[in-house]
Amino acid sequence: MSVSLPPVSSTLKSIQPLLKIASEHDKRDPVISYWCRLHALQTGLKIDKKSKESVSLLTALMDWLEKEKKTNQNNEAISNDVVAQAYIENYALKLFMWADGEDRAERFNKNVVKSFFTSSVLYDILTTFGEVNEEVAHHRKYAKWKATYIHNCLKNGEIPLPGPLRNEDLDFTQSDLNFETQPTTLTMSNHLPENTYSDEPYPPTPSGPSNLPTSLVPPPAGISPSSGVHAPPSTPSGSSQPSPTSSSTYIPPVASSGVVLKPEHFHKAQKYCKWAGSALQYEDVATAVSNLQKALTLLTTGQEE
């Protein structure tokens, strides 16, 4: 269902990408649509809440968000900030990993640009919930840089270099993504030129690493959790997915130390493993080993280092 909103005023052009991503996800994933428009509203209120055109748009956004929250009051990815944060991070990571894989395989096209850019915008939205962790901050910067870099190369008829650039002037590593030293031709901006971003379809979202139990947050709409390929979209319902813990025969898992492991233990262990996988993408062995050791300690003792 398309959402009809007043035109974006000239003073609020910076929220246009958020509204664009939201409209593209109205059918694909209503959760992403909701948080994109909420972040657009919050950003817009900081920029201009006085001009007639801006007030008209911001008021319409408020009305839509209020109705949407009531309609989806049983959807924890909208009503619960903790679940929402994890859901958005998971979705952004999948887009990022798909784009990064295509980039490293030297398959450069507008879908790769769009996926990098969209993931960076979703990482921006995570700041709604507070300070982001180091991994999210790195992915956000890297995705913005890659989207702009590949876009400029394609625009100028140049062949992009895959992966992080490593030479005397550009030293992009997992621990120090130095975007300030990039050449002036790689112009950073809050959003890409509209003709680059507007009409390209999203690629299939991969079944990449997840930071949530599958019983808590389903994969993006239209993706089969087992195969990662497109499946017929299901009709949203008010009922939530049954949790494995709802079974009367469920027995809580126990660590080797005898400590009963809780869902939050698995959630945190998954994050450590995800961070380890991300570090390996950049050949950062020390960070990968450190995070895997933390995951093992948590799963064997129930305690963090």
Side-chain angles (χ1 to χ4, degrees), residues 28 86-101 115-116 119 122-123 139 203-212 214 217-221 223-226 228 274:
R28 182 184 178 92
Y87 187 100
I88 296 168
E89 183 178 347
N90 185 49
Y91 193 98
L93 178 64
K94 287 182 177 182
L95 281 177
F96 178 91
M97 295 301 289
W98 181 89
D100 188 54
S115 292
F116 268 131
S119 69
L122 295 180
Y123 283 133
H139 280 176
T205 309
S207 55
S210 172
N211 63 340
L212 280 179
T214 55
V217 174
I223 304 298
S224 167
S226 59
K274 182 191 71 175

Side-chain angles (χ1 to χ4, degrees), residues 150-158 193:
I150 297 175
H151 161 68
N152 285 343
C153 285
L154 294 177
K155 180 181 178 181
N156 298 327
E158 301 170 357

Side-chain angles (χ1 to χ4, degrees), residues 152-300:
N152 285 343
C153 285
L154 294 177
K155 180 181 178 181
N156 298 327
E158 301 170 357
I159 300 177
L161 295 175
L165 298 186
R166 295 189 179 98
N167 56 35
E168 294 179 357
D169 299 318
L170 294 171
D171 183 22
F172 294 95
T173 65
Q174 173 70 4
S175 59
D176 182 22
L177 293 177
N178 188 1
F179 291 90
E180 285 68 35
T181 62
Q182 60 185 299
T184 55
T185 54
L186 306 185
T187 305
M188 290 299 292
S189 60
N190 289 330
H191 60 280
L192 295 174
E194 190 170 342
N195 60 356
T196 299
Y197 178 68
S198 57
D199 298 322
E200 289 297 311
Y202 278 93
T205 309
S207 55
S210 172
N211 63 340
L212 280 179
T214 55
S215 62
L216 179 59
V217 174
I223 304 298
S224 167
S226 59
S227 63
V229 299
H230 276 280
S234 57
T235 303
S237 63
S239 58
S240 58
Q241 249 183 314
S243 168
T245 58
S246 63
S247 171
S248 58
T249 60
Y250 174 74
I251 301 176
V254 179
S256 58
S257 62
V259 176
V260 175
L261 297 176
K262 300 179 181 179
E264 51 264 35
H265 290 135
F266 294 103
H267 183 186
K268 194 61 179 286
Q270 282 182 316
K271 278 202 168 187
Y272 284 136
C273 291
K274 182 191 71 175
W275 293 339
S278 178
L280 289 175
Q281 290 282 331
Y282 297 91
E283 301 178 359
D284 187 348
V285 177
T287 300
V289 170
S290 173
N291 281 295
L292 288 174
Q293 288 175 335
K294 290 177 180 178
L296 286 172
T297 299
L298 187 61
L299 293 176
T300 53

